[in-house]
Amino acid sequence: MNSSQVKVMEAVKRRYWGLMMVGLLLALTLLGLFFTPYDPNAVNIAARFQPPDREHLLGTDHFGRDVLSRILWGARISLAVGIAAVCLGAAAGVFLGSAAGFFGGWWDELLMRLSTALQALPSILLALLFAAVWSPGVPVVLWGIALGNIPSFLRVTRNQVLSIKERPYVEAARALGAGDLRIVLRHIFPNLRDALLVQFSVSLAGAILAEASLSYLGVGIQPPDPSWGRMLREAQPYGSLAPWLVLVPGLFIAFAVVGFNLLGDTWILGRERVYKGE
Amino acid sequence: MKRYLWRRAGGFLLTAVLVSAATFFVLQVLPGDPALLMLGTEGSPEAYARLRQELSLDQPLLQRYLKWFSAFLAGQWGNSWRYSLPVRELVGQAFPLSFVLALLAVGSAALAALPAGMYMAVRSDRLGSRLLSLFTQVGLGLPQFWVGILLIQFFAVQLRLLPAGGYDGWRSLILPVATLALPRTAVLGRFLRAGVLEVLGQDYVRFARSKGLSGTTVLFKHVLRNAALGPLTAAGVQFAQLVAGTIVVEQVFGLPGLGQLLLNGVFQRDLPLVQTAVMLVVLVILAFDLAFDLCLGMLDPRIRYE
């Protein structure tokens, strides 16, 4: 086997892992929408700090709330905020990036300059800025992560568009009399897909981490509703007394992030194949 | 090199001005009326009018921005609304700790990523290398604050080796630095691995080997220099992430740094404090970005003449 075949084999393995992990995660989130073993916010002081057993599979927290139910219910926030924010950021980034790449000139210069400036403000810092002006909560986190994701999508799209627009089929379309809009929509966008899917998976992994960090800081979702980061914030003082409170949410966050990162590698495989003409 | 340096420095200034305008806009324009925010609902109309004049809210936007920006450059950062102390004093106490923390974390990440990345590339078939590769993949996914909490549990609560939180001499920095450096080591190590693998296949490496140079000479003089370009290009973004991580990690370990000051400012809506803290954080990020760019320019002449 030569090295490129080894690479493909490795990527195929990762593809299954990534797909399985993300699939499992989405299934659990969907389940959490319709069914949780207990009411995730129901306080039961008599049953506080129960270690994992048959009744409470992942134990209970300092208010006697069922951890499994809170994990399932919180998955909604942890994943949905990430997905929604990355979608918003991606939409803006792709739009601006294709404009920068397609038109070039001072338009490109301006957008790239703005994007560099935005890059110096990580999502967490942006969300903190917004939280100082409005008040802590989910919208602040959503906008922070969305804005923070614009530069990477802008750059990927611009660089791809720059290379795609020189290809013969674009020239051919232009020779046949196609307008700018038609060329962008019909000939350039479809070829952006793989590069954007890679970026999307990686951004999603980052967004889940950012949401968890912000919820941990207390800037994200507000009590009593859970998200995985929020659960860790509340669990920290009880680390020695009830280790499962710290372990479980962290493992779920790590699982989600690694899953989306692996899924990102999957799309890279797809691109390598396209370039080799397989 | 000189031209490259000037161009990069110009870019740094332009970006800094853009970011300052953006933070000014978010903190001074979006809230509508900071005077109202400051007084709350109990303020009298006279106090409100006085405050508006004091904050020069009655002046046009551009004028206000220029005034604020020149005051910021002069080091006049105003008074904190909640602590009734000059922001400069508050920040002056908190900034050095955060800066040292970030610097140590960058240093450790770079020092750890170098051997890890090269080992993963050169001995890619060994079990150790595979384990390391798995470890970096997982290291990327672990939430930082979680790692911090677990490290406290293990090293401070169980083994009682290190302080659990607060700042009490250099030993308080060991766990926070480790927490911050872990994911950056993973990313930089993976970039370096990819870089080394790519360079190893190049003709000039084969040539250097065939003229009889030893493996280590080739690796350090020919391969590393070119393989380092990838990690260095990524270093700017990674550093921004690390600085954002500092805010979180300071909270985990209860370190009285800039991150904690900023977070308190956010919760108490202390806008002058937030504005200064954010600007300082951004300036540090941009300064490091510039430094990484200059390193890149020194290593690779192609970048200088672009």
Side-chain angles (χ1 to χ4, degrees):
Chain A
M1 266 198 310
N2 63 32
S3 71
S4 78
Q5 276 171 317
V6 173
K7 234 171 159 180
V8 170
M9 287 285 291
E10 271 176 15
V12 168
K13 255 190 255 167
R14 282 194 218 125
R15 157 174 289 182
Y16 291 123
W17 276 107
L19 277 178
M20 258 165 47
M21 288 167 81
V22 170
L24 187 64
L25 210 63
L26 291 179
L28 281 177
T29 312
L30 264 176
L31 176 74
L33 287 180
F34 302 107
F35 170 79
T36 51
Y38 295 84
D39 176 352
N41 289 338
V43 174
N44 180 3
I45 296 293
R48 64 206 293 247
F49 297 126
Q50 302 258 321
D53 58 18
R54 286 247 302 278
E55 241 172 274
H56 297 278
L57 285 177
L58 295 176
T60 61
D61 70 1
H62 56 298
F63 285 131
R65 296 175 295 198
D66 181 55
V67 172
L68 178 62
S69 306
R70 286 176 76 71
I71 288 280
L72 288 175
W73 189 238
R76 223 171 25 116
I77 297 294
S78 298
L79 293 183
V81 170
I83 292 174
V86 175
C87 283
L88 281 173
V94 169
F95 178 73
L96 295 173
S98 41
F102 194 75
F103 296 117
W106 67 269
W107 187 227
D108 182 30
E109 192 80 21
L110 175 77
L111 283 172
M112 290 310 278
R113 184 53 65 193
L114 286 177
S115 147
T116 313
L118 196 52
Q119 237 167 12
L121 287 163
S123 298
I124 292 186
L125 211 54
L126 280 168
L128 286 177
L129 261 180
F130 293 150
V133 177
W134 295 306
S135 50
V138 174
V140 161
V141 173
L142 185 77
W143 289 114
I145 298 177
L147 268 179
N149 269 299
I150 292 178
S152 47
F153 280 100
L154 199 156
R155 259 154 220 273
V156 168
T157 311
R158 170 197 179 257
N159 293 343
Q160 287 284 314
V161 169
L162 274 182
S163 93
I164 293 171
K165 79 171 180 187
E166 303 299 332
R167 292 194 191 159
Y169 55 78
V170 173
E171 219 172 304
R174 196 176 294 285
L176 286 171
D180 284 352
L181 193 66
R182 185 182 167 84
I183 288 179
V184 170
L185 290 182
R186 292 293 302 256
H187 300 279
I188 293 184
F189 271 178
N191 291 295
L192 279 173
R193 199 195 61 194
D194 285 322
L196 288 179
L197 281 174
V198 174
Q199 186 58 47
F200 198 79
S201 306
V202 174
S203 289
L204 214 51
I208 291 170
L209 272 182
E211 189 280 330
S213 305
L214 286 164
S215 291
Y216 171 77
L217 290 177
V219 176
I221 191 162
Q222 298 300 307
D225 285 322
S227 84
W228 298 341
R230 178 89 215 169
M231 289 172 75
L232 276 171
R233 175 191 173 84
E234 290 168 7
Q236 194 180 359
Y238 311 109
S240 332
L241 185 64
W244 63 91
L245 285 182
V246 171
L247 286 174
V248 172
L251 282 175
F252 271 89
I253 299 171
F255 188 80
V257 175
V258 172
F260 279 110
N261 270 335
L262 288 175
L263 197 65
D265 290 355
T266 306
W267 309 116
I268 294 180
L269 168 73
R271 280 173 75 196
E272 277 171 1
R273 278 205 174 144
V274 171
Y275 290 146
K276 289 194 193 103
E278 282 173 38
Chain B
M1 189 67 195
K2 220 172 184 176
R3 244 194 84 207
Y4 174 74
L5 200 138
W6 279 114
R7 218 176 43 210
R8 282 299 136 107
F12 166 82
L13 286 179
L14 194 57
T15 312
V17 169
L18 277 175
V19 175
S20 76
T23 51
F24 177 83
F25 182 80
V26 170
L27 289 172
Q28 304 265 348
V29 183
L30 284 188
D33 198 334
L36 215 56
L37 198 65
M38 245 171 111
L39 281 175
T41 44
E42 289 113 62
S44 67
E46 294 80 37
Y48 173 69
R50 196 152 10 95
L51 195 60
R52 264 185 78 88
Q53 205 166 22
E54 226 171 87
L55 297 172
S56 50
L57 290 179
D58 40 2
Q59 288 167 12
L61 204 57
L62 187 66
Q63 211 171 337
R64 272 167 61 197
Y65 168 68
L66 289 176
K67 204 171 159 188
W68 168 76
F69 191 61
S70 54
F72 178 82
L73 287 185
Q76 288 162 357
W77 299 338
N79 284 325
S80 154
W81 291 354
R82 303 292 149 165
Y83 297 100
S84 306
L85 277 171
V87 169
R88 202 181 156 137
E89 205 172 298
L90 289 168
V91 167
Q93 287 167 359
F95 184 77
L97 179 64
S98 302
F99 190 70
V100 168
L101 182 63
L103 215 58
L104 284 175
V106 180
S108 343
L111 279 182
L114 200 66
M118 290 184 73
Y119 179 72
M120 282 193 289
V122 178
R123 299 269 178 267
S124 58
D125 48 343
R126 298 265 176 93
L127 181 68
S129 170
R130 289 208 186 134
L131 283 179
L132 208 56
S133 179
L134 182 73
F135 179 72
T136 55
Q137 181 80 58
V138 174
L140 268 173
L142 296 181
Q144 240 168 3
F145 51 99
W146 188 56
V147 173
I149 296 173
L150 294 184
L151 286 178
I152 292 177
Q153 273 304 316
F154 190 68
F155 287 100
V157 179
Q158 305 290 334
L159 298 180
R160 297 182 182 278
L161 280 176
L162 292 164
Y167 182 70
D168 183 27
W170 60 273
R171 291 179 64 235
S172 305
L173 289 181
I174 297 178
L175 291 181
V177 166
T179 310
L180 274 172
L182 176 75
R184 301 311 133 209
T185 308
V187 178
L188 294 178
R190 289 179 82 82
F191 270 108
L192 190 64
R193 170 181 181 262
V196 171
L197 278 177
E198 201 183 310
V199 174
L200 278 178
Q202 300 285 328
D203 284 339
Y204 58 82
V205 172
R206 207 167 306 139
F207 177 72
R209 283 224 177 98
S210 65
K211 77 179 181 191
L213 293 180
S214 74
T216 41
T217 315
V218 174
L219 205 56
F220 283 97
K221 285 194 85 166
H222 297 260
V223 175
L224 191 58
R225 188 186 171 119
N226 290 292
L229 298 177
L232 259 180
T233 316
V237 175
Q238 288 306 314
F239 184 73
Q241 295 290 339
L242 188 143
V243 168
T246 317
I247 301 172
V248 182
V249 167
E250 274 177 20
Q251 198 60 23
V252 175
F253 290 92
L255 291 173
L258 194 61
Q260 211 167 60
L261 199 61
L262 172 61
L263 203 63
N264 286 338
V266 167
F267 286 128
Q268 297 168 341
R269 300 200 145 184
D270 194 339
L271 297 192
L273 182 58
V274 171
Q275 196 156 23
T276 308
V278 168
M279 271 312 289
L280 285 179
V281 169
V282 169
L283 283 179
V284 170
I285 291 179
L286 289 176
F288 269 86
D289 213 21
L290 183 66
F292 291 132
D293 265 0
L294 294 182
C295 287
L296 209 57
M298 275 192 282
L299 277 179
D300 189 352
R302 282 169 300 186
I303 293 171
R304 290 203 291 267
Y305 296 111
E306 207 176 77

